[in-house]
mmCIF file of all heavy atoms in Angstrom:
data_model
loop_
_atom_site.group_PDB
_atom_site.id
_atom_site.type_symbol
_atom_site.label_atom_id
_atom_site.label_comp_id
_atom_site.label_asym_id
_atom_site.label_seq_id
_atom_site.Cartn_x
_atom_site.Cartn_y
_atom_site.Cartn_z
ATOM 1 N N SER A 214 -10.140 -8.212 -15.793
ATOM 2 C CA SER A 214 -10.325 -9.384 -14.926
ATOM 3 C C SER A 214 -10.224 -8.986 -13.450
ATOM 4 O O SER A 214 -10.860 -9.604 -12.595
ATOM 5 C CB SER A 214 -9.360 -10.505 -15.290
ATOM 6 O OG SER A 214 -8.145 -10.337 -14.615
ATOM 7 N N LEU A 215 -9.436 -7.946 -13.132
ATOM 8 C CA LEU A 215 -9.394 -7.472 -11.746
ATOM 9 C C LEU A 215 -10.756 -6.887 -11.355
ATOM 10 O O LEU A 215 -11.307 -7.193 -10.291
ATOM 11 C CB LEU A 215 -8.280 -6.438 -11.553
ATOM 12 C CG LEU A 215 -6.832 -6.931 -11.760
ATOM 13 C CD1 LEU A 215 -5.845 -5.796 -11.584
ATOM 14 C CD2 LEU A 215 -6.492 -8.071 -10.797
ATOM 15 N N TRP A 216 -11.312 -6.060 -12.236
ATOM 16 C CA TRP A 216 -12.642 -5.485 -11.967
ATOM 17 C C TRP A 216 -13.695 -6.596 -11.855
ATOM 18 O O TRP A 216 -14.614 -6.512 -11.040
ATOM 19 C CB TRP A 216 -13.044 -4.494 -13.065
ATOM 20 C CG TRP A 216 -12.390 -3.155 -12.900
ATOM 21 C CD1 TRP A 216 -11.298 -2.691 -13.567
ATOM 22 C CD2 TRP A 216 -12.774 -2.106 -11.998
ATOM 23 N NE1 TRP A 216 -10.981 -1.416 -13.136
ATOM 24 C CE2 TRP A 216 -11.864 -1.036 -12.191
ATOM 25 C CE3 TRP A 216 -13.792 -1.964 -11.053
ATOM 26 C CZ2 TRP A 216 -11.955 0.153 -11.457
ATOM 27 C CZ3 TRP A 216 -13.873 -0.774 -10.333
ATOM 28 C CH2 TRP A 216 -12.959 0.274 -10.533
ATOM 29 N N GLY A 217 -13.533 -7.635 -12.650
ATOM 30 C CA GLY A 217 -14.497 -8.736 -12.642
ATOM 31 C C GLY A 217 -14.370 -9.649 -11.437
ATOM 32 O O GLY A 217 -15.271 -10.431 -11.139
ATOM 33 N N ASN A 218 -13.241 -9.557 -10.735
ATOM 34 C CA ASN A 218 -13.000 -10.431 -9.580
ATOM 35 C C ASN A 218 -12.910 -9.658 -8.266
ATOM 36 O O ASN A 218 -12.248 -10.102 -7.320
ATOM 37 C CB ASN A 218 -11.704 -11.235 -9.788
ATOM 38 C CG ASN A 218 -11.926 -12.418 -10.716
ATOM 39 O OD1 ASN A 218 -12.652 -13.349 -10.391
ATOM 40 N ND2 ASN A 218 -11.332 -12.363 -11.900
ATOM 41 N N LEU A 219 -13.604 -8.531 -8.191
ATOM 42 C CA LEU A 219 -13.537 -7.713 -6.970
ATOM 43 C C LEU A 219 -13.925 -8.508 -5.721
ATOM 44 O O LEU A 219 -13.412 -8.240 -4.637
ATOM 45 C CB LEU A 219 -14.436 -6.477 -7.096
ATOM 46 C CG LEU A 219 -13.938 -5.358 -8.032
ATOM 47 C CD1 LEU A 219 -14.965 -4.236 -8.101
ATOM 48 C CD2 LEU A 219 -12.591 -4.801 -7.585
ATOM 49 N N ASP A 220 -14.778 -9.507 -5.919
ATOM 50 C CA ASP A 220 -15.187 -10.328 -4.764
ATOM 51 C C ASP A 220 -14.011 -11.046 -4.115
ATOM 52 O O ASP A 220 -14.095 -11.467 -2.961
ATOM 53 C CB ASP A 220 -16.184 -11.420 -5.216
ATOM 54 C CG ASP A 220 -17.587 -10.869 -5.383
ATOM 55 O OD1 ASP A 220 -17.822 -9.728 -4.943
ATOM 56 O OD2 ASP A 220 -18.428 -11.583 -5.964
ATOM 57 N N PHE A 221 -12.929 -11.233 -4.861
ATOM 58 C CA PHE A 221 -11.789 -11.997 -4.345
ATOM 59 C C PHE A 221 -10.604 -11.095 -3.994
ATOM 60 O O PHE A 221 -9.538 -11.570 -3.624
ATOM 61 C CB PHE A 221 -11.374 -13.076 -5.357
ATOM 62 C CG PHE A 221 -12.523 -14.005 -5.641
ATOM 63 C CD1 PHE A 221 -13.346 -13.795 -6.736
ATOM 64 C CD2 PHE A 221 -12.811 -15.038 -4.764
ATOM 65 C CE1 PHE A 221 -14.441 -14.622 -6.963
ATOM 66 C CE2 PHE A 221 -13.894 -15.866 -4.983
ATOM 67 C CZ PHE A 221 -14.717 -15.657 -6.090
ATOM 68 N N ILE A 222 -10.788 -9.788 -4.164
ATOM 69 C CA ILE A 222 -9.723 -8.839 -3.802
ATOM 70 C C ILE A 222 -10.022 -8.329 -2.397
ATOM 71 O O ILE A 222 -11.118 -7.833 -2.132
ATOM 72 C CB ILE A 222 -9.666 -7.678 -4.823
ATOM 73 C CG1 ILE A 222 -9.272 -8.229 -6.194
ATOM 74 C CG2 ILE A 222 -8.701 -6.593 -4.366
ATOM 75 C CD1 ILE A 222 -9.449 -7.251 -7.330
ATOM 76 N N ASP A 223 -9.059 -8.487 -1.489
ATOM 77 C CA ASP A 223 -9.306 -8.079 -0.114
ATOM 78 C C ASP A 223 -9.218 -6.568 0.065
ATOM 79 O O ASP A 223 -10.050 -5.969 0.704
ATOM 80 C CB ASP A 223 -8.322 -8.793 0.821
ATOM 81 C CG ASP A 223 -8.659 -10.265 0.894
ATOM 82 O OD1 ASP A 223 -9.528 -10.624 1.696
ATOM 83 O OD2 ASP A 223 -8.104 -11.056 0.095
ATOM 84 N N TYR A 224 -8.159 -5.995 -0.482
ATOM 85 C CA TYR A 224 -8.059 -4.541 -0.343
ATOM 86 C C TYR A 224 -7.233 -3.905 -1.454
ATOM 87 O O TYR A 224 -6.577 -4.592 -2.235
ATOM 88 C CB TYR A 224 -7.551 -4.136 1.046
ATOM 89 C CG TYR A 224 -6.202 -4.652 1.508
ATOM 90 C CD1 TYR A 224 -5.015 -4.303 0.864
ATOM 91 C CD2 TYR A 224 -6.106 -5.431 2.665
ATOM 92 C CE1 TYR A 224 -3.771 -4.724 1.346
ATOM 93 C CE2 TYR A 224 -4.875 -5.866 3.153
ATOM 94 C CZ TYR A 224 -3.712 -5.510 2.478
ATOM 95 O OH TYR A 224 -2.494 -5.924 2.950
ATOM 96 N N ILE A 225 -7.303 -2.586 -1.481
ATOM 97 C CA ILE A 225 -6.529 -1.815 -2.453
ATOM 98 C C ILE A 225 -5.404 -1.101 -1.716
ATOM 99 O O ILE A 225 -5.626 -0.493 -0.662
ATOM 100 C CB ILE A 225 -7.445 -0.803 -3.177
ATOM 101 C CG1 ILE A 225 -8.430 -1.585 -4.062
ATOM 102 C CG2 ILE A 225 -6.640 0.196 -4.008
ATOM 103 C CD1 ILE A 225 -9.501 -0.760 -4.676
ATOM 104 N N GLY A 226 -4.197 -1.236 -2.239
ATOM 105 C CA GLY A 226 -3.058 -0.495 -1.687
ATOM 106 C C GLY A 226 -2.606 0.455 -2.781
ATOM 107 O O GLY A 226 -2.896 0.245 -3.960
ATOM 108 N N SER A 227 -1.899 1.498 -2.409
ATOM 109 C CA SER A 227 -1.416 2.387 -3.476
ATOM 110 C C SER A 227 -0.091 1.878 -4.047
ATOM 111 O O SER A 227 0.251 2.173 -5.172
ATOM 112 C CB SER A 227 -1.227 3.808 -2.950
ATOM 113 O OG SER A 227 -0.212 3.827 -1.966
ATOM 114 N N ASP A 228 0.659 1.097 -3.238
ATOM 115 C CA ASP A 228 2.070 0.847 -3.559
ATOM 116 C C ASP A 228 2.752 2.180 -3.877
ATOM 117 O O ASP A 228 3.486 2.320 -4.853
ATOM 118 C CB ASP A 228 2.245 -0.153 -4.713
ATOM 119 C CG ASP A 228 3.680 -0.675 -4.809
ATOM 120 O OD1 ASP A 228 4.491 -0.326 -3.935
ATOM 121 O OD2 ASP A 228 3.973 -1.419 -5.757
ATOM 122 N N HIS A 229 2.464 3.164 -3.013
ATOM 123 C CA HIS A 229 3.047 4.508 -3.147
ATOM 124 C C HIS A 229 4.575 4.370 -3.122
ATOM 125 O O HIS A 229 5.160 4.107 -2.072
ATOM 126 C CB HIS A 229 2.548 5.360 -1.978
ATOM 127 C CG HIS A 229 3.070 6.762 -1.948
ATOM 128 N ND1 HIS A 229 2.552 7.774 -2.723
ATOM 129 C CD2 HIS A 229 4.072 7.326 -1.226
ATOM 130 C CE1 HIS A 229 3.203 8.896 -2.481
ATOM 131 N NE2 HIS A 229 4.134 8.659 -1.578
ATOM 132 N N ALA A 230 5.196 4.524 -4.285
ATOM 133 C CA ALA A 230 6.644 4.286 -4.422
ATOM 134 C C ALA A 230 7.283 5.453 -5.167
ATOM 135 O O ALA A 230 7.611 5.368 -6.349
ATOM 136 C CB ALA A 230 6.887 2.970 -5.157
ATOM 137 N N PRO A 231 7.430 6.590 -4.454
ATOM 138 C CA PRO A 231 7.924 7.796 -5.113
ATOM 139 C C PRO A 231 9.402 7.737 -5.503
ATOM 140 O O PRO A 231 10.226 7.189 -4.772
ATOM 141 C CB PRO A 231 7.686 8.893 -4.065
ATOM 142 C CG PRO A 231 7.601 8.192 -2.759
ATOM 143 C CD PRO A 231 7.090 6.817 -3.024
#
Side-chain angles (χ1 to χ4, degrees):
S214 87
L215 296 178
W216 281 100
N218 281 294
L219 287 177
D220 281 348
F221 302 95
I222 296 168
D223 290 276
Y224 58 64
I225 292 172
S227 64
D228 194 5
H229 179 80

